Amino acid sequence: MLIVAPAFLAGIVAVQRSAALDGLVAAAGLGLVVALGLRLASRRGWGQERPAARWSGLALVALAALAAGVGWAAWRAELRLADELAGTLEGVELQVRGRVAGLPRASGPGWRFEFEIEPAVPGVPRNVQLAWRPERADPRSDAGAALAMPRPGERWQFTVRLWRPHGFVNPSGFDYEAWLLERGVRATGSVRGPGQLLDGGAETLMQHVHRLRATVRERMLAALPEGRQRGLLVALAVGDQQGIEAAQWEVFRRTGVAHLVSISGLHVALVALFCGGLAGAAWRRLPALALRVPVQRTRALAGLGGATAYALLAGMGVPVLRAWLMLLVGALVLFAGRRIAPSRVLAIALLVVLAVDPWAVLSAGFWLSFGAVAVILAVLGGRVVPLAGWRGALRVQLALSFALVPLLLAQFQSVPLLSPLANLIAVPLVSFIVTPLVLLAIPWPGPLLLPADLAAGLMMDFLTPLAALEFAVIERAAPPTWLFGGALAAVAMLLLPRASPGRLAAPALLAGLLFWQPARPEEGGFRVWVLDVGQGLAVHVQTHAHDLLYDTGPPFGNSNDAGERVILPWLRAIGVRRLDRLVLSHPDSDHIGGAASLLAAMPADSVLAGQARDLREREDWSVQLGQGRVPADCVGAPAWTRDGVLFEILHPSPARGASSVAPDTGENAHDNDASCVLRVTGAAGALLLPGDIGAAAEQELIRRQPPAGLSAVVVVSAHHGSRSSSSPAFVDATLPEHVIHSAGSRNSFGHPHPDVWARWSGAGARNWRTDAQGAILVEFAASSEEGVLVSAERETRVRYWHGR
């Protein structure tokens, strides 16, 4: 089992990193048959205890498990991908009926929820995710009240427009399409017009459960209208985290206690221990029953029952399901009365989790949860005198904080240094006070929620100052595969007994992990990443020792933006901790939407902005910049050089800048023609970033610049490829080899416009677009002989689910 489980895991991982599924099932089946046949043929050698025969037998078992993992994951993936939206139905208005699944989430002025379509519609997947912004009265109310959030289990008839799953694809970024695939959501879309509430019908168990979860959430929120931590308490009760604010998540991240507010293995195990302990104590007082059924089996059964109820109340989401399956395996082994090594129980749980959910390996929680259990077993197992009490708990906590460093750096590029101290207080507080009070308050939400809110508030009062410390978190670049593997080997060696050979060399490998930095461009060269941020723009320019960001992308609703979701994770992943300069082309929201969250988390030595007067008048900007600093206007800004690379602001001119502010007639009423136009020139050529300028500003640039002043090897198209920009004269003046269009998938503006695409193509440039190809990387070499290389993230990191 200790060989089968890792090999099966390796097969699953291989499939989830594959670009296509073609032939994988057949190849895996053939490999499994061959490996099993060879294993049966070698059984005679196994019985003779010859080392060579034994090792060959183990290798064949591992090969068979590997083939089984590949075949199982590929088969499951083919089944799930087959439930797809027909291409002819994309964007077409369809009338569907079905039930609201799970807990709906507030999304701006409307809601977002999963919808199970029933009866089935040909060409439409069963599970879809819908966004709804209703503008009518609630059909459930006779008084014509405003429409309330749909409730789980309700049957509705909607007119919808559906699309195949599509998300941003950036290096080291969150893969939204994989996240939807794991949850079985095979299309996303929006509700068009009013919906019709239908009569209820037969509901499944999970639909009843989700309705109960919604009721519990509503009662808890009503019982704590002014509760400081009511979002956290609801998350611990029913797994709904939408009430936890972004500032709280940042505190949890910097102190390493995020696992305490996400229902996972810790919470499910605590409920199981509590229920099993109560049942065991009661069972001992009933000798007649204790003689028939041992107390140990009673505890296992009661613990499993309590954990199952809690897992259902939490929605039986993917992380909770993993934790419940691990507990199920352990409970069944214990209930069967068999003595099995804990390592084998962990291996069986791993196999069960992977069999149920082959996409679990795409989640950081999978690796952290199984890694944490493995570390605990390594610390506590194999000892003559078992560790117990506070000394054992402290040793386990320190070992976890240390051993999970490689995984944390690989997944999140940060390690909370104060995690042992924070968890020393937060774990017992949440485990033995907050969570029990919350669970006991589910049937009686009134009096018990007040002390739970008080205890959670005391925890936040302790954690917030810790998170504010500058040294609370160490951030490093995401390590390469070879270094990550070496760090895992180092952790394994350090967990061995003290006299084990090679143990003293392990710290050197870990030091390499902490001090490694990715290679940067040589002097005179630079790299450019046009990030995939949807309908907006964010361009990262990196020289040998400096980093510049041009624009920060759009906001995503009221609580998220490109700065938080795309730019910051990317900069942290490549080891950028400070920006030399932030350039904001103009104040339109699709260009500055992520600036506030970016500056709140990462310092910039200077900020240069188009129409800077508008930004100076915004209160949130004065708070983010601090110390009385204001963004400087790019009008008349002098050129600057960084590491042999020249940066020039070509537009607007001082004469135009004095009268470039348009009347305020709406959110995006700023003058696009007053955008900062930045030209970056290195040894291999130039990059031109024209912002949102239109044809008039392009003509002005042509008049003011010398013949070679606008030439560029790469141009990021003005205004996302709008028809109002990229005039024929501007195309002829720049004559690039490559043009990049940063636009959102299926955007309502039609960017990039087909005429603009054809115009650049006719001039000899190759067109690239972020919506279809993901983030675009441009590498300007340090010498003109090596030239420029352009690549797209969706083409270099292909996954079988992309575009499906």
Side-chain angles (χ1 to χ4, degrees):
M1 190 60 66
L2 297 181
I3 294 175
V4 171
F8 190 78
L9 170 63
I12 297 285
V13 172
V15 171
Q16 306 307 352
R17 295 181 63 86
S18 298
L21 298 174
D22 301 338
L24 280 183
V25 175
L30 179 62
L32 180 61
V33 170
V34 171
L36 290 177
L38 292 175
R39 176 68 185 93
L40 292 174
S42 67
R43 287 186 65 86
R44 181 180 303 175
W46 178 273
Q48 297 175 358
E49 297 185 355
R50 293 182 301 185
R54 178 175 293 274
W55 284 110
S56 63
L58 292 177
L60 290 173
V61 169
L63 180 61
L66 177 70
V70 171
W72 177 255
W75 179 67
R76 289 286 304 277
E78 287 181 349
L79 289 179
R80 186 154 292 185
L81 291 178
D83 185 26
E84 65 180 355
L85 179 68
T88 55
L89 298 181
E90 281 197 291
V92 177
E93 290 197 355
L94 304 169
Q95 192 171 86
V96 296
R97 294 186 176 192
R99 290 187 183 275
V100 177
L103 289 179
R105 299 174 59 88
S107 177
W111 311 289
R112 193 177 299 273
F113 53 90
E114 293 183 18
F115 193 67
E116 296 179 357
I117 295 178
E118 52 182 33
V121 177
V124 178
R126 177 175 175 80
N127 295 326
V128 301
Q129 180 178 270
L130 298 177
W132 189 17
R133 296 184 177 182
E135 298 179 356
R136 69 182 187 88
D138 193 337
R140 295 163 291 195
S141 171
D142 296 332
L147 189 63
M149 180 182 292
R151 294 182 59 81
E154 287 183 341
R155 295 186 69 246
W156 287 82
Q157 177 174 292
F158 293 127
T159 299
V160 301
R161 284 185 181 175
L162 298 175
W163 306 88
R164 293 186 177 184
H166 185 91
F168 306 144
V169 177
N170 292 288
S172 301
F174 175 69
D175 194 331
Y176 180 62
E177 295 174 40
W179 184 83
L180 290 175
L181 180 69
E182 183 181 11
R183 282 151 181 79
V185 176
R186 299 295 296 126
T188 62
S190 59
V191 176
R192 316 292 292 182
Q196 180 181 351
L197 183 64
L198 304 176
D199 294 335
E203 295 186 0
T204 65
L205 170 64
M206 287 309 301
Q207 287 167 350
H208 280 293
V209 168
H210 290 313
R211 179 167 294 191
L212 174 62
R213 295 174 66 214
T215 301
V216 170
R217 177 177 65 179
E218 292 168 2
R219 293 178 62 189
M220 292 182 67
L221 293 176
L224 276 178
E226 304 296 331
R228 293 169 52 204
Q229 310 300 331
R230 63 179 195 158
L232 192 155
L233 302 184
V234 170
L236 290 174
V238 297
D240 178 29
Q241 300 174 352
Q242 62 178 311
I244 301 178
E245 299 175 356
Q248 290 177 303
W249 280 119
E250 182 65 11
V251 170
F252 300 147
R253 183 187 76 86
R254 292 181 63 84
T255 54
V257 301
H259 62 99
L260 293 178
V261 296
S262 301
I263 297 179
S264 58
L266 174 65
H267 304 83
V268 176
L270 284 172
V271 172
L273 288 173
F274 179 73
C275 294
L278 286 180
W283 208 253
R284 288 191 183 94
R285 298 179 180 276
L286 302 172
L289 294 178
L291 290 174
R292 291 178 176 273
V293 181
V295 174
Q296 187 181 36
R297 293 187 178 184
T298 302
R299 286 203 307 259
L301 189 60
L304 180 61
T308 302
Y310 185 45
L312 287 171
L313 188 61
M316 200 59 89
V318 175
V320 178
L321 177 63
R322 286 198 301 265
W324 180 78
L325 287 173
M326 292 176 66
L327 185 67
L328 174 65
V329 171
L332 291 178
V333 169
L334 189 62
F335 188 79
R338 302 188 60 182
R339 298 182 64 86
I340 300 179
S343 58
R344 292 182 178 273
V345 175
L346 180 63
I348 296 172
L350 177 62
L351 285 174
V352 172
V353 169
L354 292 174
V356 174
D357 180 18
W359 297 275
V361 297
L362 300 176
S363 166
F366 168 84
W367 299 100
L368 291 173
S369 59
F370 276 99
V373 175
V375 170
I376 293 173
L377 293 181
V379 172
L380 299 180
R383 296 182 176 273
V384 177
V385 180
L387 291 173
W390 69 269
R391 295 179 185 272
L394 180 60
R395 187 181 183 93
V396 167
Q397 182 58 53
L398 290 175
L400 285 173
S401 300
F402 181 78
L404 296 182
V405 166
L407 284 172
L408 291 172
L409 284 180
Q411 297 287 347
F412 308 110
Q413 294 79 57
S414 64
V415 177
L417 296 180
L418 299 178
S419 174
L421 175 60
N423 280 278
L424 191 64
I425 302 299
V427 167
L429 194 60
V430 172
S431 302
F432 302 118
I433 298 179
V434 178
T435 301
L437 287 174
V438 167
L439 295 180
L440 291 173
I442 289 176
W444 307 286
L448 292 177
L449 284 180
L450 294 176
D453 184 69
L454 176 61
L458 292 175
M459 181 187 71
M460 292 303 300
D461 292 340
F462 170 73
L463 295 177
T464 301
L466 289 182
L469 296 174
E470 187 175 352
F471 58 85
V473 174
I474 181 173
E475 295 181 338
R476 293 292 183 268
T481 303
W482 62 268
L483 185 57
F484 175 67
L488 289 181
V491 168
M493 286 190 291
L494 287 171
L495 292 175
L496 293 174
R498 294 180 182 177
S500 301
R503 194 167 181 266
L504 295 178
L509 289 174
L510 285 177
L513 179 74
L514 294 175
F515 291 103
W516 179 84
Q517 285 290 331
R520 297 178 67 98
E522 299 178 3
E523 288 274 348
F526 62 99
R527 291 196 190 104
V528 180
W529 288 270
V530 182
L531 298 175
D532 184 7
V533 294
Q535 186 63 21
L537 181 65
V539 182
H540 174 210
V541 181
Q542 184 180 73
T543 65
H544 180 68
H546 297 84
D547 294 271
L548 174 142
L549 188 68
Y550 182 91
D551 284 342
T552 59
F556 304 136
N558 297 327
S559 57
N560 286 300
D561 56 61
E564 180 182 357
R565 286 181 50 187
V566 177
I567 300 173
L568 279 171
W570 159 243
L571 294 177
R572 287 167 175 160
I574 60 170
V576 176
R577 301 293 169 256
R578 189 179 195 90
L579 292 174
D580 174 60
R581 182 161 292 186
L582 172 63
V583 179
L584 301 171
S585 62
H586 63 298
D588 280 2
S589 62
D590 58 332
H591 292 255
I592 67 165
S597 59
L598 173 73
L599 290 174
M602 180 171 294
D605 291 340
S606 62
V607 179
L608 200 60
Q611 304 169 62
R613 188 181 70 181
D614 290 7
L615 294 179
R616 296 188 191 114
E617 296 173 353
R618 290 175 50 168
E619 181 179 353
D620 58 336
W621 273 85
S622 63
V623 172
Q624 298 297 344
L625 291 175
Q627 300 178 353
R629 293 172 56 195
V630 294
D633 204 307
C634 65
V635 175
W640 67 97
T641 301
R642 295 289 186 270
D643 309 313
V645 178
L646 176 65
F647 295 81
E648 303 171 276
I649 297 293
L650 304 183
H651 182 81
S653 66
R656 191 182 206 287
S659 58
S660 63
V661 179
D664 187 8
T665 58
E667 180 184 1
N668 288 337
H670 305 95
D671 188 359
N672 285 340
D673 279 349
S675 297
C676 298
V677 177
L678 176 65
R679 187 170 187 254
V680 185
T681 308
L687 163 76
L688 188 64
L689 301 171
D692 273 2
I693 63 171
E698 292 174 351
Q699 292 298 324
E700 183 180 339
L701 266 172
I702 295 171
R703 287 195 304 269
R704 286 193 288 106
Q705 295 296 323
L710 288 178
S711 63
V713 179
V714 178
V715 172
V716 175
S717 65
H719 206 179
H720 320 286
S722 168
R723 183 170 51 180
S724 62
S725 305
S726 300
S727 61
F730 187 73
V731 171
D732 292 338
T734 54
L735 285 180
E737 297 176 12
H738 304 271
V739 61
I740 302 170
H741 310 279
S742 179
S745 175
R746 303 183 296 269
N747 66 85
S748 59
F749 308 101
H751 296 161
H753 195 277
D755 293 347
V756 172
W757 185 280
R759 191 174 301 146
W760 286 110
S761 180
R766 178 177 176 180
N767 284 279
W768 303 77
R769 54 190 301 166
T770 58
D771 58 341
Q773 296 170 288
I776 309 296
L777 167 63
V778 186
E779 298 188 75
F780 286 80
S783 64
S784 58
E785 291 79 11
E786 297 180 54
V788 174
L789 295 176
V790 183
S791 59
E793 186 68 12
R794 280 187 182 267
E795 297 172 3
T796 57
R797 185 170 60 92
V798 184
R799 295 293 182 265
Y800 67 82
W801 57 81
H802 283 168
R804 299 286 301 274

Short mmCIF file of all heavy atoms in Angstrom, two decimals, residues 773-792:
data_model
loop_
_atom_site.label_atom_id
_atom_site.label_comp_id
_atom_site.label_asym_id
_atom_site.label_seq_id
_atom_site.Cartn_x
_atom_site.Cartn_y
_atom_site.Cartn_z
N GLN A 773 -5.19 33.85 -25.70
CA GLN A 773 -3.86 33.24 -25.53
C GLN A 773 -3.29 33.42 -24.13
O GLN A 773 -2.19 32.95 -23.85
CB GLN A 773 -2.90 33.83 -26.56
CG GLN A 773 -3.30 33.51 -28.00
CD GLN A 773 -2.47 34.29 -29.01
OE1 GLN A 773 -2.63 35.49 -29.16
NE2 GLN A 773 -1.58 33.59 -29.68
N GLY A 774 -4.00 34.09 -23.26
CA GLY A 774 -3.50 34.31 -21.91
C GLY A 774 -2.43 35.39 -21.88
O GLY A 774 -2.29 36.19 -22.82
N ALA A 775 -1.68 35.43 -20.80
CA ALA A 775 -0.62 36.43 -20.66
C ALA A 775 0.41 36.25 -21.77
O ALA A 775 0.74 35.14 -22.18
CB ALA A 775 0.04 36.30 -19.30
N ILE A 776 0.94 37.37 -22.25
CA ILE A 776 1.91 37.37 -23.34
C ILE A 776 3.27 37.80 -22.78
O ILE A 776 3.38 38.86 -22.15
CB ILE A 776 1.50 38.31 -24.49
CG1 ILE A 776 0.06 38.02 -24.93
CG2 ILE A 776 2.47 38.19 -25.65
CD1 ILE A 776 -0.16 36.66 -25.52
N LEU A 777 4.29 37.00 -23.02
CA LEU A 777 5.65 37.30 -22.59
C LEU A 777 6.48 37.75 -23.78
O LEU A 777 6.49 37.08 -24.82
CB LEU A 777 6.29 36.06 -21.94
CG LEU A 777 7.80 36.10 -21.71
CD1 LEU A 777 8.17 37.21 -20.74
CD2 LEU A 777 8.31 34.75 -21.22
N VAL A 778 7.16 38.88 -23.62
CA VAL A 778 8.06 39.41 -24.65
C VAL A 778 9.44 39.54 -24.03
O VAL A 778 9.61 40.23 -23.02
CB VAL A 778 7.59 40.76 -25.19
CG1 VAL A 778 8.46 41.19 -26.36
CG2 VAL A 778 6.13 40.71 -25.60
N GLU A 779 10.43 38.90 -24.63
CA GLU A 779 11.80 38.96 -24.13
C GLU A 779 12.67 39.73 -25.12
O GLU A 779 12.92 39.26 -26.23
CB GLU A 779 12.34 37.55 -23.91
CG GLU A 779 11.57 36.75 -22.89
CD GLU A 779 12.24 35.44 -22.55
OE1 GLU A 779 13.25 35.46 -21.80
OE2 GLU A 779 11.76 34.40 -23.02
N PHE A 780 13.12 40.90 -24.68
CA PHE A 780 14.05 41.71 -25.46
C PHE A 780 15.46 41.34 -24.99
O PHE A 780 15.83 41.58 -23.83
CB PHE A 780 13.80 43.20 -25.23
CG PHE A 780 12.56 43.72 -25.91
CD1 PHE A 780 11.31 43.52 -25.35
CD2 PHE A 780 12.65 44.40 -27.11
CE1 PHE A 780 10.17 44.01 -25.95
CE2 PHE A 780 11.51 44.89 -27.73
CZ PHE A 780 10.27 44.69 -27.16
N ALA A 781 16.25 40.78 -25.88
CA ALA A 781 17.58 40.33 -25.52
C ALA A 781 18.50 41.51 -25.26
O ALA A 781 18.19 42.67 -25.57
CB ALA A 781 18.16 39.44 -26.62
N ALA A 782 19.67 41.22 -24.67
CA ALA A 782 20.64 42.27 -24.34
C ALA A 782 21.49 42.66 -25.53
O ALA A 782 22.35 43.54 -25.41
CB ALA A 782 21.53 41.80 -23.19
N SER A 783 21.27 42.03 -26.67
CA SER A 783 22.00 42.40 -27.89
C SER A 783 21.05 42.35 -29.07
O SER A 783 20.09 41.58 -29.08
CB SER A 783 23.18 41.45 -28.13
OG SER A 783 22.73 40.14 -28.37
N SER A 784 21.31 43.18 -30.06
CA SER A 784 20.43 43.23 -31.23
C SER A 784 20.47 41.95 -32.04
O SER A 784 19.51 41.61 -32.74
CB SER A 784 20.83 44.42 -32.11
OG SER A 784 22.20 44.30 -32.51
N GLU A 785 21.58 41.18 -31.94
CA GLU A 785 21.68 39.95 -32.72
C GLU A 785 20.68 38.90 -32.24
O GLU A 785 20.15 38.13 -33.04
CB GLU A 785 23.10 39.37 -32.62
CG GLU A 785 24.16 40.20 -33.33
CD GLU A 785 24.59 41.42 -32.53
OE1 GLU A 785 24.20 41.49 -31.32
OE2 GLU A 785 25.28 42.30 -33.06
N GLU A 786 20.42 38.86 -30.94
CA GLU A 786 19.51 37.84 -30.40
C GLU A 786 18.05 38.20 -30.60
O GLU A 786 17.18 37.33 -30.58
CB GLU A 786 19.81 37.64 -28.91
CG GLU A 786 21.21 37.11 -28.64
CD GLU A 786 21.45 36.92 -27.16
OE1 GLU A 786 20.65 36.22 -26.51
OE2 GLU A 786 22.44 37.49 -26.64
N GLY A 787 17.73 39.48 -30.75
CA GLY A 787 16.39 39.88 -31.11
C GLY A 787 15.35 39.77 -30.00
O GLY A 787 15.66 39.87 -28.82
N VAL A 788 14.12 39.51 -30.43
CA VAL A 788 12.97 39.50 -29.53
C VAL A 788 12.22 38.19 -29.68
O VAL A 788 12.01 37.71 -30.79
CB VAL A 788 12.03 40.69 -29.85
CG1 VAL A 788 10.77 40.61 -29.02
CG2 VAL A 788 12.74 42.01 -29.61
N LEU A 789 11.81 37.61 -28.54
CA LEU A 789 11.01 36.39 -28.53
C LEU A 789 9.67 36.67 -27.87
O LEU A 789 9.62 37.31 -26.82
CB LEU A 789 11.73 35.27 -27.78
CG LEU A 789 13.04 34.75 -28.39
CD1 LEU A 789 13.67 33.71 -27.47
CD2 LEU A 789 12.80 34.16 -29.77
N VAL A 790 8.59 36.19 -28.45
CA VAL A 790 7.24 36.39 -27.91
C VAL A 790 6.59 35.02 -27.73
O VAL A 790 6.69 34.15 -28.60
CB VAL A 790 6.38 37.27 -28.84
CG1 VAL A 790 5.01 37.54 -28.22
CG2 VAL A 790 7.09 38.59 -29.14
N SER A 791 5.93 34.84 -26.60
CA SER A 791 5.23 33.58 -26.34
C SER A 791 3.95 33.87 -25.55
O SER A 791 3.83 34.91 -24.90
CB SER A 791 6.13 32.60 -25.57
OG SER A 791 6.53 33.16 -24.34
N ALA A 792 3.00 32.94 -25.62
CA ALA A 792 1.72 33.09 -24.94
C ALA A 792 1.56 31.99 -23.90
O ALA A 792 1.93 30.83 -24.15
CB ALA A 792 0.57 33.03 -25.94
#
